Amino acid sequence: MSAITVRTRLWPVRLRSTPAVATAAAVVLACYLLVGLVGPLLIPYDPVATSVADRLLPIGAVRQDGTLALLGTDGAGRDMLGQLVHGARTSIVIGVSVVATCLAVGLALGTLAGYLAGWTDVAISRLIDVLMAFPGILLAIVIAGLFDQGMLVVVLALSVAGWVAFARLARGLTLSLRVRPWVDAARLIGVPTPVVIVRHIIPFVIGPVTALATTEFAGAVLSEAGLSFLGLGLPSSTVSWGQVIANGKDYLDTAWWISALPGLALTGLVVSTGLLGDHLTQRLGSSR
């Protein structure tokens, strides 16, 4: 089995796409999901509560009240473990929301463009070309900067150009599927166009599109962290790994753990998602 390049937004990682690698990545993602869903219920500390007396405590230090700061505290005395756990939930919720929105819009527009062709295909393709002319993160920064901070704004900002990849893939697959015998037969017997698309096109498109969604999830998580790092993402009342990394940039020499821990958590989520997504893409691609 040939080696593939797993391309995240951080760096290219050269690994072999094997079932073992995919299984390990899936296990890591399951752990992230478990931490994001259950972790905030188990952490006794408020991740946004400050304590001047407990600021910049190192990993394993003891707070003034005698409790253990397992992963230390930041410059405002906020518990790092609580911020990491709550940040995992934020990343997962935003990543899933962005991917679900982009998948729905991209799948709908892409299949319509590929099946109907004509002016519909031209209009949607030109819209795709326009959005591809601008970096997606730049559009997200502009949109996030125009509105008040909030999770809905972040999801919409990241979805404005995020659906393009799904639409291009769905359109390309639909163009090849629309000339298949079973689709021609359905049209000849008078099956309505919406029914043909839903029953005879989408079932063959949804697999590759779902594989793409896995890799796009990593991009959405990383983009959200970037927006939060710039102060354009979520409000301070919502913990984000990007915010935590930004909070620690002034303490890199004395309190490295503030930026390093969320950075490592973000890297693990992005890389494992990219590995699993590339494996699914390869498997689905070879099965078609």
Side-chain angles (χ1 to χ4, degrees), residues 219-235:
V221 170
L222 195 56
S223 296
E224 180 278 319
L227 290 178
S228 296
F229 182 87
L230 296 174
L232 297 173
L234 302 171

PDB file of all heavy atoms in Angstrom, residues 219-235:
ATOM      1  N   GLY A 219     -10.172  21.356   9.368  1.00  0.00           N
ATOM      2  CA  GLY A 219      -9.978  22.736   8.939  1.00  0.00           C
ATOM      3  C   GLY A 219     -10.871  23.705   9.674  1.00  0.00           C
ATOM      4  O   GLY A 219     -10.454  24.823  10.013  1.00  0.00           O
ATOM      5  N   ALA A 220     -12.115  23.294   9.950  1.00  0.00           N
ATOM      6  CA  ALA A 220     -13.044  24.163  10.673  1.00  0.00           C
ATOM      7  C   ALA A 220     -12.575  24.406  12.100  1.00  0.00           C
ATOM      8  O   ALA A 220     -12.628  25.538  12.610  1.00  0.00           O
ATOM      9  CB  ALA A 220     -14.443  23.541  10.661  1.00  0.00           C
ATOM     10  N   VAL A 221     -12.095  23.359  12.750  1.00  0.00           N
ATOM     11  CA  VAL A 221     -11.599  23.498  14.124  1.00  0.00           C
ATOM     12  C   VAL A 221     -10.395  24.441  14.166  1.00  0.00           C
ATOM     13  O   VAL A 221     -10.294  25.317  15.027  1.00  0.00           O
ATOM     14  CB  VAL A 221     -11.234  22.115  14.691  1.00  0.00           C
ATOM     15  CG1 VAL A 221     -10.480  22.257  16.010  1.00  0.00           C
ATOM     16  CG2 VAL A 221     -12.490  21.283  14.898  1.00  0.00           C
ATOM     17  N   LEU A 222      -9.484  24.260  13.224  1.00  0.00           N
ATOM     18  CA  LEU A 222      -8.285  25.094  13.189  1.00  0.00           C
ATOM     19  C   LEU A 222      -8.620  26.539  12.843  1.00  0.00           C
ATOM     20  O   LEU A 222      -8.034  27.481  13.402  1.00  0.00           O
ATOM     21  CB  LEU A 222      -7.297  24.516  12.180  1.00  0.00           C
ATOM     22  CG  LEU A 222      -5.856  25.024  12.256  1.00  0.00           C
ATOM     23  CD1 LEU A 222      -5.283  24.806  13.646  1.00  0.00           C
ATOM     24  CD2 LEU A 222      -4.999  24.333  11.218  1.00  0.00           C
ATOM     25  N   SER A 223      -9.572  26.744  11.939  1.00  0.00           N
ATOM     26  CA  SER A 223      -9.967  28.114  11.573  1.00  0.00           C
ATOM     27  C   SER A 223     -10.641  28.821  12.735  1.00  0.00           C
ATOM     28  O   SER A 223     -10.416  30.017  12.966  1.00  0.00           O
ATOM     29  CB  SER A 223     -10.903  28.073  10.363  1.00  0.00           C
ATOM     30  OG  SER A 223     -10.253  27.559   9.229  1.00  0.00           O
ATOM     31  N   GLU A 224     -11.467  28.094  13.479  1.00  0.00           N
ATOM     32  CA  GLU A 224     -12.105  28.692  14.657  1.00  0.00           C
ATOM     33  C   GLU A 224     -11.064  29.114  15.682  1.00  0.00           C
ATOM     34  O   GLU A 224     -11.157  30.195  16.278  1.00  0.00           O
ATOM     35  CB  GLU A 224     -13.082  27.698  15.275  1.00  0.00           C
ATOM     36  CG  GLU A 224     -13.810  28.209  16.508  1.00  0.00           C
ATOM     37  CD  GLU A 224     -13.013  28.085  17.790  1.00  0.00           C
ATOM     38  OE1 GLU A 224     -12.341  27.040  17.971  1.00  0.00           O
ATOM     39  OE2 GLU A 224     -13.029  29.031  18.601  1.00  0.00           O
ATOM     40  N   ALA A 225     -10.054  28.259  15.878  1.00  0.00           N
ATOM     41  CA  ALA A 225      -8.984  28.610  16.813  1.00  0.00           C
ATOM     42  C   ALA A 225      -8.242  29.855  16.340  1.00  0.00           C
ATOM     43  O   ALA A 225      -7.861  30.704  17.153  1.00  0.00           O
ATOM     44  CB  ALA A 225      -8.018  27.431  16.960  1.00  0.00           C
ATOM     45  N   GLY A 226      -8.055  29.969  15.027  1.00  0.00           N
ATOM     46  CA  GLY A 226      -7.392  31.150  14.489  1.00  0.00           C
ATOM     47  C   GLY A 226      -8.189  32.421  14.720  1.00  0.00           C
ATOM     48  O   GLY A 226      -7.637  33.458  15.102  1.00  0.00           O
ATOM     49  N   LEU A 227      -9.500  32.337  14.489  1.00  0.00           N
ATOM     50  CA  LEU A 227     -10.357  33.501  14.742  1.00  0.00           C
ATOM     51  C   LEU A 227     -10.332  33.895  16.216  1.00  0.00           C
ATOM     52  O   LEU A 227     -10.258  35.084  16.559  1.00  0.00           O
ATOM     53  CB  LEU A 227     -11.787  33.201  14.305  1.00  0.00           C
ATOM     54  CG  LEU A 227     -12.048  33.092  12.800  1.00  0.00           C
ATOM     55  CD1 LEU A 227     -13.504  32.738  12.550  1.00  0.00           C
ATOM     56  CD2 LEU A 227     -11.694  34.383  12.081  1.00  0.00           C
ATOM     57  N   SER A 228     -10.406  32.897  17.093  1.00  0.00           N
ATOM     58  CA  SER A 228     -10.397  33.187  18.529  1.00  0.00           C
ATOM     59  C   SER A 228      -9.047  33.756  18.958  1.00  0.00           C
ATOM     60  O   SER A 228      -8.982  34.633  19.833  1.00  0.00           O
ATOM     61  CB  SER A 228     -10.710  31.918  19.324  1.00  0.00           C
ATOM     62  OG  SER A 228     -12.016  31.462  19.043  1.00  0.00           O
ATOM     63  N   PHE A 229      -7.969  33.277  18.356  1.00  0.00           N
ATOM     64  CA  PHE A 229      -6.646  33.810  18.668  1.00  0.00           C
ATOM     65  C   PHE A 229      -6.564  35.289  18.315  1.00  0.00           C
ATOM     66  O   PHE A 229      -5.931  36.080  19.027  1.00  0.00           O
ATOM     67  CB  PHE A 229      -5.577  33.016  17.914  1.00  0.00           C
ATOM     68  CG  PHE A 229      -4.171  33.457  18.200  1.00  0.00           C
ATOM     69  CD1 PHE A 229      -3.476  32.939  19.282  1.00  0.00           C
ATOM     70  CD2 PHE A 229      -3.540  34.392  17.383  1.00  0.00           C
ATOM     71  CE1 PHE A 229      -2.179  33.348  19.554  1.00  0.00           C
ATOM     72  CE2 PHE A 229      -2.246  34.799  17.649  1.00  0.00           C
ATOM     73  CZ  PHE A 229      -1.563  34.281  18.738  1.00  0.00           C
ATOM     74  N   LEU A 230      -7.219  35.670  17.218  1.00  0.00           N
ATOM     75  CA  LEU A 230      -7.220  37.071  16.791  1.00  0.00           C
ATOM     76  C   LEU A 230      -8.245  37.918  17.534  1.00  0.00           C
ATOM     77  O   LEU A 230      -8.322  39.125  17.318  1.00  0.00           O
ATOM     78  CB  LEU A 230      -7.499  37.151  15.285  1.00  0.00           C
ATOM     79  CG  LEU A 230      -6.450  36.511  14.370  1.00  0.00           C
ATOM     80  CD1 LEU A 230      -6.936  36.527  12.926  1.00  0.00           C
ATOM     81  CD2 LEU A 230      -5.114  37.227  14.494  1.00  0.00           C
ATOM     82  N   GLY A 231      -9.035  37.275  18.393  1.00  0.00           N
ATOM     83  CA  GLY A 231     -10.054  38.006  19.135  1.00  0.00           C
ATOM     84  C   GLY A 231     -11.323  38.263  18.348  1.00  0.00           C
ATOM     85  O   GLY A 231     -12.125  39.119  18.720  1.00  0.00           O
ATOM     86  N   LEU A 232     -11.530  37.520  17.254  1.00  0.00           N
ATOM     87  CA  LEU A 232     -12.696  37.721  16.397  1.00  0.00           C
ATOM     88  C   LEU A 232     -13.693  36.573  16.496  1.00  0.00           C
ATOM     89  O   LEU A 232     -14.697  36.576  15.800  1.00  0.00           O
ATOM     90  CB  LEU A 232     -12.255  37.859  14.933  1.00  0.00           C
ATOM     91  CG  LEU A 232     -11.361  39.047  14.613  1.00  0.00           C
ATOM     92  CD1 LEU A 232     -10.871  38.956  13.171  1.00  0.00           C
ATOM     93  CD2 LEU A 232     -12.110  40.354  14.840  1.00  0.00           C
ATOM     94  N   GLY A 233     -13.411  35.609  17.332  1.00  0.00           N
ATOM     95  CA  GLY A 233     -14.268  34.431  17.385  1.00  0.00           C
ATOM     96  C   GLY A 233     -15.334  34.516  18.448  1.00  0.00           C
ATOM     97  O   GLY A 233     -16.354  35.182  18.291  1.00  0.00           O
ATOM     98  N   LEU A 234     -15.086  33.860  19.549  1.00  0.00           N
ATOM     99  CA  LEU A 234     -16.075  33.711  20.601  1.00  0.00           C
ATOM    100  C   LEU A 234     -15.879  34.742  21.704  1.00  0.00           C
ATOM    101  O   LEU A 234     -14.767  35.238  21.905  1.00  0.00           O
ATOM    102  CB  LEU A 234     -15.986  32.300  21.182  1.00  0.00           C
ATOM    103  CG  LEU A 234     -16.185  31.170  20.169  1.00  0.00           C
ATOM    104  CD1 LEU A 234     -15.862  29.834  20.800  1.00  0.00           C
ATOM    105  CD2 LEU A 234     -17.602  31.185  19.624  1.00  0.00           C
ATOM    106  N   PRO A 235     -16.934  35.060  22.444  1.00  0.00           N
ATOM    107  CA  PRO A 235     -16.791  35.984  23.581  1.00  0.00           C
ATOM    108  C   PRO A 235     -15.966  35.343  24.689  1.00  0.00           C
ATOM    109  O   PRO A 235     -15.770  34.128  24.727  1.00  0.00           O
ATOM    110  CB  PRO A 235     -18.239  36.226  24.020  1.00  0.00           C
ATOM    111  CG  PRO A 235     -18.989  35.024  23.548  1.00  0.00           C
ATOM    112  CD  PRO A 235     -18.332  34.612  22.258  1.00  0.00           C
TER     113      PRO A 235
END
